[in-house]
Amino acid sequence: MALGFVRPARPEDAGEIARIQLATWRVAYRRLLPRQVLADLDEAWLAQRWDAAVRQPPGDTHRVLVAVEQAEQSYLVGFAASGPVDAEALAPNEPAGALGPDVVAVTDLLVEPRWGRRGHGSRLLAASVDLWRESGFTRALAWVFEGDEASRKFLTAAGWEPDGAGRALDVDDMLVPQLRLHVALPTEPPEAT
């Protein structure tokens, strides 16, 4: 029987986080993003960026969490990254202060496809919500590709909904539409049943 848990990322996880990101993007986004863009992603470059994010986060409320599946061996199977909203969280033409300091942005929440449907995404999201609440955030948001049905269904099943904002990313001269989802964070953790 497998056991899953979530923990803060460590510097030595950076390479595995990059591998998971690359593997997941190449499967989940193969019909959304240009093939050449996915093929050209450099795992070593991604690992350097994740190493920096873990070792020297921009602030105390920037978090990188990893999901671990433990059976006979332990495997990193997913990760989540979040932090206070910045310009990247804004919709086009949205004023700089529109979102407020009590809003957190999810920049990544990925589970490698071969480890999907085992509760890892839910554990990552629940652990993130606990940390957000401790940090005083009252609302969370995430940009998702319109064509990414899996991410949209996962988040909407957890109570997230579109906030009406949309944008299109220019990826190698191809516009890829995104929509922004948001959720109000509960002020108290749910009671155990």
Side-chain angles (χ1 to χ4, degrees), residues 61-81:
T61 56
H62 286 81
R63 313 275 189 193
V64 180
L65 302 175
V66 294
V68 179
E69 175 139 336
Q70 186 173 351
E72 293 175 15
Q73 286 184 276
S74 292
Y75 303 95
L76 253 58
V77 298
F79 67 96

PDB file of all heavy atoms in Angstrom, residues 61-81:
ATOM      1  N   THR A  61       6.524  34.414   2.190  1.00  0.00           N
ATOM      2  CA  THR A  61       5.270  33.729   1.861  1.00  0.00           C
ATOM      3  C   THR A  61       5.303  33.070   0.479  1.00  0.00           C
ATOM      4  O   THR A  61       4.283  32.593   0.013  1.00  0.00           O
ATOM      5  CB  THR A  61       4.075  34.694   1.969  1.00  0.00           C
ATOM      6  OG1 THR A  61       4.311  35.826   1.129  1.00  0.00           O
ATOM      7  CG2 THR A  61       3.863  35.141   3.416  1.00  0.00           C
ATOM      8  N   HIS A  62       6.465  33.038  -0.153  1.00  0.00           N
ATOM      9  CA  HIS A  62       6.634  32.253  -1.382  1.00  0.00           C
ATOM     10  C   HIS A  62       6.934  30.819  -0.956  1.00  0.00           C
ATOM     11  O   HIS A  62       7.810  30.586  -0.120  1.00  0.00           O
ATOM     12  CB  HIS A  62       7.782  32.793  -2.227  1.00  0.00           C
ATOM     13  CG  HIS A  62       7.444  34.065  -2.921  1.00  0.00           C
ATOM     14  ND1 HIS A  62       7.498  35.291  -2.300  1.00  0.00           N
ATOM     15  CD2 HIS A  62       7.041  34.305  -4.183  1.00  0.00           C
ATOM     16  CE1 HIS A  62       7.144  36.235  -3.143  1.00  0.00           C
ATOM     17  NE2 HIS A  62       6.854  35.665  -4.296  1.00  0.00           N
ATOM     18  N   ARG A  63       6.200  29.889  -1.510  1.00  0.00           N
ATOM     19  CA  ARG A  63       6.326  28.487  -1.082  1.00  0.00           C
ATOM     20  C   ARG A  63       6.490  27.564  -2.278  1.00  0.00           C
ATOM     21  O   ARG A  63       5.858  27.761  -3.319  1.00  0.00           O
ATOM     22  CB  ARG A  63       5.072  28.027  -0.352  1.00  0.00           C
ATOM     23  CG  ARG A  63       4.550  28.959   0.687  1.00  0.00           C
ATOM     24  CD  ARG A  63       5.227  28.760   1.990  1.00  0.00           C
ATOM     25  NE  ARG A  63       4.501  29.564   2.983  1.00  0.00           N
ATOM     26  CZ  ARG A  63       4.969  29.821   4.164  1.00  0.00           C
ATOM     27  NH1 ARG A  63       6.117  29.338   4.533  1.00  0.00           N
ATOM     28  NH2 ARG A  63       4.280  30.546   5.004  1.00  0.00           N
ATOM     29  N   VAL A  64       7.295  26.541  -2.089  1.00  0.00           N
ATOM     30  CA  VAL A  64       7.355  25.424  -3.023  1.00  0.00           C
ATOM     31  C   VAL A  64       7.186  24.170  -2.168  1.00  0.00           C
ATOM     32  O   VAL A  64       7.961  23.927  -1.236  1.00  0.00           O
ATOM     33  CB  VAL A  64       8.688  25.353  -3.811  1.00  0.00           C
ATOM     34  CG1 VAL A  64       8.679  24.155  -4.762  1.00  0.00           C
ATOM     35  CG2 VAL A  64       8.948  26.655  -4.576  1.00  0.00           C
ATOM     36  N   LEU A  65       6.132  23.427  -2.463  1.00  0.00           N
ATOM     37  CA  LEU A  65       5.842  22.183  -1.756  1.00  0.00           C
ATOM     38  C   LEU A  65       5.977  21.026  -2.734  1.00  0.00           C
ATOM     39  O   LEU A  65       5.739  21.193  -3.936  1.00  0.00           O
ATOM     40  CB  LEU A  65       4.419  22.202  -1.198  1.00  0.00           C
ATOM     41  CG  LEU A  65       4.060  23.331  -0.241  1.00  0.00           C
ATOM     42  CD1 LEU A  65       2.581  23.265   0.130  1.00  0.00           C
ATOM     43  CD2 LEU A  65       4.929  23.274   1.003  1.00  0.00           C
ATOM     44  N   VAL A  66       6.332  19.863  -2.223  1.00  0.00           N
ATOM     45  CA  VAL A  66       6.400  18.667  -3.066  1.00  0.00           C
ATOM     46  C   VAL A  66       5.497  17.583  -2.499  1.00  0.00           C
ATOM     47  O   VAL A  66       5.305  17.478  -1.294  1.00  0.00           O
ATOM     48  CB  VAL A  66       7.846  18.131  -3.216  1.00  0.00           C
ATOM     49  CG1 VAL A  66       8.714  19.115  -3.989  1.00  0.00           C
ATOM     50  CG2 VAL A  66       8.469  17.783  -1.880  1.00  0.00           C
ATOM     51  N   ALA A  67       4.934  16.801  -3.418  1.00  0.00           N
ATOM     52  CA  ALA A  67       4.141  15.630  -3.046  1.00  0.00           C
ATOM     53  C   ALA A  67       5.038  14.409  -3.183  1.00  0.00           C
ATOM     54  O   ALA A  67       5.769  14.273  -4.167  1.00  0.00           O
ATOM     55  CB  ALA A  67       2.925  15.495  -3.955  1.00  0.00           C
ATOM     56  N   VAL A  68       4.963  13.545  -2.198  1.00  0.00           N
ATOM     57  CA  VAL A  68       5.798  12.343  -2.164  1.00  0.00           C
ATOM     58  C   VAL A  68       4.892  11.128  -2.076  1.00  0.00           C
ATOM     59  O   VAL A  68       3.948  11.105  -1.280  1.00  0.00           O
ATOM     60  CB  VAL A  68       6.754  12.375  -0.950  1.00  0.00           C
ATOM     61  CG1 VAL A  68       7.607  11.107  -0.887  1.00  0.00           C
ATOM     62  CG2 VAL A  68       7.638  13.616  -0.990  1.00  0.00           C
ATOM     63  N   GLU A  69       5.190  10.137  -2.895  1.00  0.00           N
ATOM     64  CA  GLU A  69       4.532   8.835  -2.756  1.00  0.00           C
ATOM     65  C   GLU A  69       5.568   7.897  -2.180  1.00  0.00           C
ATOM     66  O   GLU A  69       6.672   7.775  -2.705  1.00  0.00           O
ATOM     67  CB  GLU A  69       4.027   8.309  -4.104  1.00  0.00           C
ATOM     68  CG  GLU A  69       3.471   6.917  -3.965  1.00  0.00           C
ATOM     69  CD  GLU A  69       2.199   6.673  -4.745  1.00  0.00           C
ATOM     70  OE1 GLU A  69       1.450   7.618  -5.050  1.00  0.00           O
ATOM     71  OE2 GLU A  69       1.958   5.498  -5.029  1.00  0.00           O
ATOM     72  N   GLN A  70       5.187   7.258  -1.088  1.00  0.00           N
ATOM     73  CA  GLN A  70       6.119   6.372  -0.410  1.00  0.00           C
ATOM     74  C   GLN A  70       5.547   4.965  -0.392  1.00  0.00           C
ATOM     75  O   GLN A  70       4.464   4.724   0.114  1.00  0.00           O
ATOM     76  CB  GLN A  70       6.372   6.858   1.015  1.00  0.00           C
ATOM     77  CG  GLN A  70       7.428   6.088   1.735  1.00  0.00           C
ATOM     78  CD  GLN A  70       7.767   6.715   3.079  1.00  0.00           C
ATOM     79  OE1 GLN A  70       7.330   7.817   3.390  1.00  0.00           O
ATOM     80  NE2 GLN A  70       8.529   6.010   3.871  1.00  0.00           N
ATOM     81  N   ALA A  71       6.272   4.070  -0.979  1.00  0.00           N
ATOM     82  CA  ALA A  71       5.930   2.648  -0.935  1.00  0.00           C
ATOM     83  C   ALA A  71       7.206   1.950  -0.478  1.00  0.00           C
ATOM     84  O   ALA A  71       7.714   2.264   0.590  1.00  0.00           O
ATOM     85  CB  ALA A  71       5.443   2.179  -2.297  1.00  0.00           C
ATOM     86  N   GLU A  72       7.752   1.060  -1.308  1.00  0.00           N
ATOM     87  CA  GLU A  72       9.044   0.474  -0.972  1.00  0.00           C
ATOM     88  C   GLU A  72      10.142   1.519  -1.106  1.00  0.00           C
ATOM     89  O   GLU A  72      11.165   1.440  -0.454  1.00  0.00           O
ATOM     90  CB  GLU A  72       9.322  -0.720  -1.877  1.00  0.00           C
ATOM     91  CG  GLU A  72       8.375  -1.875  -1.615  1.00  0.00           C
ATOM     92  CD  GLU A  72       8.558  -3.012  -2.586  1.00  0.00           C
ATOM     93  OE1 GLU A  72       9.585  -3.047  -3.292  1.00  0.00           O
ATOM     94  OE2 GLU A  72       7.668  -3.872  -2.641  1.00  0.00           O
ATOM     95  N   GLN A  73       9.922   2.493  -2.000  1.00  0.00           N
ATOM     96  CA  GLN A  73      10.811   3.628  -2.177  1.00  0.00           C
ATOM     97  C   GLN A  73       9.964   4.889  -2.120  1.00  0.00           C
ATOM     98  O   GLN A  73       8.749   4.834  -2.270  1.00  0.00           O
ATOM     99  CB  GLN A  73      11.486   3.584  -3.554  1.00  0.00           C
ATOM    100  CG  GLN A  73      12.568   2.557  -3.702  1.00  0.00           C
ATOM    101  CD  GLN A  73      13.205   2.716  -5.070  1.00  0.00           C
ATOM    102  OE1 GLN A  73      12.704   2.184  -6.039  1.00  0.00           O
ATOM    103  NE2 GLN A  73      14.299   3.453  -5.134  1.00  0.00           N
ATOM    104  N   SER A  74      10.617   6.031  -1.950  1.00  0.00           N
ATOM    105  CA  SER A  74       9.903   7.316  -1.999  1.00  0.00           C
ATOM    106  C   SER A  74      10.137   7.965  -3.352  1.00  0.00           C
ATOM    107  O   SER A  74      11.243   7.917  -3.882  1.00  0.00           O
ATOM    108  CB  SER A  74      10.414   8.257  -0.907  1.00  0.00           C
ATOM    109  OG  SER A  74      10.051   7.775   0.354  1.00  0.00           O
ATOM    110  N   TYR A  75       9.083   8.559  -3.888  1.00  0.00           N
ATOM    111  CA  TYR A  75       9.152   9.232  -5.178  1.00  0.00           C
ATOM    112  C   TYR A  75       8.541  10.612  -5.058  1.00  0.00           C
ATOM    113  O   TYR A  75       7.449  10.751  -4.498  1.00  0.00           O
ATOM    114  CB  TYR A  75       8.343   8.470  -6.234  1.00  0.00           C
ATOM    115  CG  TYR A  75       8.752   7.039  -6.428  1.00  0.00           C
ATOM    116  CD1 TYR A  75       8.093   6.019  -5.743  1.00  0.00           C
ATOM    117  CD2 TYR A  75       9.776   6.697  -7.301  1.00  0.00           C
ATOM    118  CE1 TYR A  75       8.457   4.696  -5.923  1.00  0.00           C
ATOM    119  CE2 TYR A  75      10.143   5.381  -7.493  1.00  0.00           C
ATOM    120  CZ  TYR A  75       9.481   4.382  -6.798  1.00  0.00           C
ATOM    121  OH  TYR A  75       9.849   3.065  -6.977  1.00  0.00           O
ATOM    122  N   LEU A  76       9.217  11.629  -5.588  1.00  0.00           N
ATOM    123  CA  LEU A  76       8.583  12.925  -5.757  1.00  0.00           C
ATOM    124  C   LEU A  76       7.656  12.787  -6.948  1.00  0.00           C
ATOM    125  O   LEU A  76       8.080  12.334  -8.022  1.00  0.00           O
ATOM    126  CB  LEU A  76       9.629  14.013  -6.038  1.00  0.00           C
ATOM    127  CG  LEU A  76       9.906  14.993  -4.904  1.00  0.00           C
ATOM    128  CD1 LEU A  76      10.370  14.287  -3.669  1.00  0.00           C
ATOM    129  CD2 LEU A  76      10.875  16.037  -5.357  1.00  0.00           C
ATOM    130  N   VAL A  77       6.394  13.159  -6.779  1.00  0.00           N
ATOM    131  CA  VAL A  77       5.407  12.931  -7.838  1.00  0.00           C
ATOM    132  C   VAL A  77       4.687  14.198  -8.278  1.00  0.00           C
ATOM    133  O   VAL A  77       3.949  14.186  -9.260  1.00  0.00           O
ATOM    134  CB  VAL A  77       4.381  11.860  -7.406  1.00  0.00           C
ATOM    135  CG1 VAL A  77       5.076  10.523  -7.158  1.00  0.00           C
ATOM    136  CG2 VAL A  77       3.606  12.294  -6.168  1.00  0.00           C
ATOM    137  N   GLY A  78       4.887  15.295  -7.552  1.00  0.00           N
ATOM    138  CA  GLY A  78       4.225  16.542  -7.916  1.00  0.00           C
ATOM    139  C   GLY A  78       4.757  17.686  -7.077  1.00  0.00           C
ATOM    140  O   GLY A  78       5.544  17.475  -6.152  1.00  0.00           O
ATOM    141  N   PHE A  79       4.328  18.888  -7.420  1.00  0.00           N
ATOM    142  CA  PHE A  79       4.765  20.051  -6.664  1.00  0.00           C
ATOM    143  C   PHE A  79       3.773  21.188  -6.844  1.00  0.00           C
ATOM    144  O   PHE A  79       2.976  21.203  -7.786  1.00  0.00           O
ATOM    145  CB  PHE A  79       6.171  20.497  -7.088  1.00  0.00           C
ATOM    146  CG  PHE A  79       6.258  21.035  -8.484  1.00  0.00           C
ATOM    147  CD1 PHE A  79       6.198  22.398  -8.731  1.00  0.00           C
ATOM    148  CD2 PHE A  79       6.397  20.178  -9.558  1.00  0.00           C
ATOM    149  CE1 PHE A  79       6.265  22.888 -10.021  1.00  0.00           C
ATOM    150  CE2 PHE A  79       6.482  20.667 -10.851  1.00  0.00           C
ATOM    151  CZ  PHE A  79       6.415  22.027 -11.086  1.00  0.00           C
ATOM    152  N   ALA A  80       3.833  22.122  -5.922  1.00  0.00           N
ATOM    153  CA  ALA A  80       3.019  23.345  -5.989  1.00  0.00           C
ATOM    154  C   ALA A  80       3.908  24.518  -5.611  1.00  0.00           C
ATOM    155  O   ALA A  80       4.740  24.404  -4.707  1.00  0.00           O
ATOM    156  CB  ALA A  80       1.833  23.259  -5.027  1.00  0.00           C
ATOM    157  N   ALA A  81       3.727  25.627  -6.328  1.00  0.00           N
ATOM    158  CA  ALA A  81       4.459  26.853  -6.023  1.00  0.00           C
ATOM    159  C   ALA A  81       3.460  28.002  -5.960  1.00  0.00           C
ATOM    160  O   ALA A  81       2.532  28.065  -6.771  1.00  0.00           O
ATOM    161  CB  ALA A  81       5.522  27.123  -7.087  1.00  0.00           C
TER     162      ALA A  81
END
